[in-house]
Amino acid sequence: MSNNAYSVYGLRVHAEIACPELPFHPQPDGNPDVTIRLLPTLPSTSESDESGCYEVRPGVFRLVVKGVGRYLVEEGSRISIEPLAGSSTDEVRLFLLGSVIGALLYQRGLFPLHGSAVETTWGAMIFVGAQGIGKSTLAAQFYRRGYRLLSDDVCAVTTTDGKLQVLPAQAHFRLCADAYERLAPAQAARFNVDKFVVPMDEGYCPDAVPLKAIHVLADQEDGDPQFEVIRGFDRVQRLFENLYRPQYLKGQETQSDLMRLAGRIVQRTPMVTVSRKRDTEKIDGMIDFLESAWAEHFGSNPREENK
Amino acid sequence: MHHFNPEDKLVRAQEVLSTELDQETVLMSIDAGAYYGLGNTARCIWEKLATPITFSALVDELAQEYEVPHEACAADLQGFLAEMEREGLLRVE
């Protein structure tokens, strides 16, 4: 089976399954950090085949999705997939690029947040919040305004030389149907019921970017958007609430590293709540609002000064 | 539930991160993968547990600082410290 070489979260991934959502690795040769293999059957296990059933042990993660596949992630470097009868490759990939990659991030000690990240002149801005709160829609609007995206859906934070960084992830973003209709180029592919994948190219940032701030998106009934700094213990709570698949944390070999990383994030990173009335017509105004809030809180935009 | 004796030496568990965030103290238990916010009294107790202290000395200090009866203070502390120990935040020497 041929191997496709991809680059995601700074990792070289060799996959036996084609993943159009992932950017190709610029240097396809070389030793992979992660291999993704398709197997006719996974080594037998004691777990039941109930859908959504998962198991976390040090260095081992298993997931069974009924009618789709059985997944095994080992030592942060090997992903094995047994597609089940009747499954489509789209379905197999949906869980591979979601839960399974999420478990891989845990195994590698990378802190996974459920949200989108955008590269700005201040640094990487992360947007988290409840399911359907508009994270991808906002990211898509940043993309339209010429910003490069670091990730959609799952952000990975790590430390490099003591500095917190956001790693570049998937070169695609997932949108709700209404946002999709406003933004979508013709090549967008239908992925599942209400999310669409819009392939990205130059709108994608391939490098790790220092983490600047974490934004928790919230709805409000009416009035002007609010940009409120989160203080104290709430910072820890908001961070853990927005962890991607938080149930995968316990039992990981890297749990202690991840807790320390969480400590660093809450100590060093500004966290804010951004409340607004959701309105796809006015989403462009949200970008202006955020740009001026950032200038106010983090200093004027270097890009503006150079004009 | 663990009952603490007056001579028991108590100290913070090593695998706990203590973080000051805007005048609030947050504990993160590395092993349990859990986090805790400390109220004022809890924070005061946590401060005193930075170096080993006997249960009786801890009761003495708190009873004096908070101006509460010695016995009531000891009883409350029994419950609180047992909870801390159960969560892996406290070490008994």
Side-chain angles (χ1 to χ4, degrees):
Chain A
M1 179 100 49
S2 69
N3 259 332
N4 307 280
Y6 300 110
S7 175
V8 66
Y9 300 114
L11 304 169
R12 180 199 296 275
V13 178
H14 287 185
E16 289 183 351
I17 176 173
C19 300
E21 295 84 1
L22 300 182
F24 284 113
H25 200 285
Q27 288 124 13
D29 300 321
N31 290 329
D33 301 302
V34 178
T35 55
I36 301 174
R37 293 189 306 158
L38 291 174
L39 297 176
T41 50
L42 283 189
S44 69
T45 61
S46 56
E47 101 271 29
S48 75
D49 268 5
E50 244 174 79
S51 187
C53 173
Y54 69 92
E55 179 192 8
V56 178
R57 283 192 288 119
V60 179
F61 171 84
R62 293 174 191 280
L63 175 72
V64 180
V65 184
K66 209 170 189 172
V68 176
R70 290 149 54 91
Y71 300 83
L72 171 66
V73 188
E74 296 167 290
E75 308 296 342
S77 62
R78 295 186 303 280
I79 296 175
S80 310
I81 308 169
E82 174 193 337
L84 295 177
S87 63
S88 70
T89 53
D90 277 1
E91 286 171 327
V92 169
R93 238 167 43 241
L94 183 66
F95 293 93
L96 168 65
L97 299 178
S99 300
V100 174
I101 291 274
L104 181 92
L105 295 176
Y106 277 106
Q107 286 187 354
R108 297 190 73 96
L110 303 172
F111 201 83
L113 284 169
H114 194 186
S116 312
V118 177
E119 177 199 30
T120 74
T121 45
W122 290 276
M125 302 293 190
I126 293 181
F127 296 91
V128 296
Q131 197 78 42
I133 198 79
K135 302 180 289 281
S136 293
T137 308
L138 190 62
Q141 190 63 24
F142 273 110
Y143 165 66
R144 286 188 83 201
R145 288 276 291 259
Y147 285 83
R148 294 196 300 175
L149 297 195
L150 276 156
S151 73
D152 176 55
D153 210 31
V154 184
C155 301
V157 179
T158 187
T159 46
T160 314
D161 301 327
K163 293 198 181 75
L164 294 168
Q165 295 206 300
V166 180
L167 296 172
Q170 284 121 309
H172 74 288
F173 46 91
R174 302 165 79 189
L175 298 174
C176 291
D178 61 336
Y180 165 80
E181 278 164 23
R182 284 177 48 79
L183 300 168
Q187 74 269 29
R190 184 156 188 162
F191 204 64
N192 59 17
V193 182
D194 61 350
K195 292 267 187 174
F196 297 83
V197 175
V198 184
M200 309 237 321
D201 29 60
E202 68 282 354
Y204 163 73
C205 174
D207 310 309
V209 176
L211 172 59
K212 184 63 196 179
I214 297 172
H215 306 70
V216 182
L217 292 181
D219 282 325
Q220 70 178 16
E221 286 289 311
D222 242 316
D224 295 332
Q226 305 292 320
F227 188 94
E228 293 159 302
V229 176
I230 303 168
R231 301 199 181 278
F233 183 61
D234 284 350
R235 299 160 60 73
V236 186
Q237 266 181 309
R238 292 294 100 74
L239 188 75
F240 279 93
E241 274 168 15
N242 290 289
L243 202 53
Y244 183 72
R245 303 283 187 267
Q247 68 273 29
Y248 295 173
L249 173 64
K250 290 190 186 183
Q252 297 284 353
E253 218 161 10
T254 53
Q255 180 176 308
S256 54
D257 297 334
L258 287 162
M259 291 302 286
R260 286 194 186 87
L261 196 46
R264 281 192 192 172
I265 294 171
V266 293
Q267 271 181 320
R268 300 186 193 173
T269 312
M271 292 177 67
V272 294
T273 305
V274 175
S275 318
R276 81 284 188 238
K277 186 179 185 323
R278 247 186 291 176
D279 186 345
T280 41
E281 297 293 324
K282 289 184 186 154
I283 183 127
D284 205 40
M286 271 311 293
I287 308 293
D288 296 331
F289 170 77
L290 286 168
E291 285 175 340
S292 51
W294 291 335
E296 187 186 323
H297 286 80
F298 309 134
S300 61
N301 188 341
R303 199 164 53 177
E304 294 293 320
E305 281 172 0
N306 292 339
K307 273 183 185 170
Chain B
M1 194 163 73
H2 187 160
H3 183 83
F4 296 93
N5 296 313
E7 313 76 39
D8 281 347
K9 273 210 159 179
L10 313 171
V11 70
R12 295 175 183 177
Q14 277 168 349
E15 286 298 277
V16 179
L17 275 185
S18 169
T19 307
E20 295 291 323
L21 291 174
D22 308 302
Q23 282 94 53
E24 286 182 48
T25 300
V26 176
L27 304 187
M28 298 174 88
S29 170
I30 300 298
D31 290 336
Y35 55 91
Y36 313 84
L38 297 188
N40 279 336
T41 316
R43 187 156 63 172
C44 176
I45 296 169
W46 183 251
E47 288 303 317
K48 294 184 188 303
L49 291 170
T51 50
I53 181 170
T54 61
F55 180 79
S56 61
L58 191 58
V59 174
D60 289 345
E61 290 187 19
L62 290 169
Q64 195 177 4
E65 282 173 41
Y66 287 89
E67 296 175 353
V68 289
H70 208 272
E71 268 175 36
C73 181
D76 286 353
L77 208 49
Q78 285 284 359
F80 179 75
L81 291 175
E83 202 179 326
M84 282 187 80
E85 195 187 15
R86 199 169 54 238
E87 298 292 329
L89 302 171
L90 180 73
R91 195 154 54 90
V92 184
E93 291 186 334

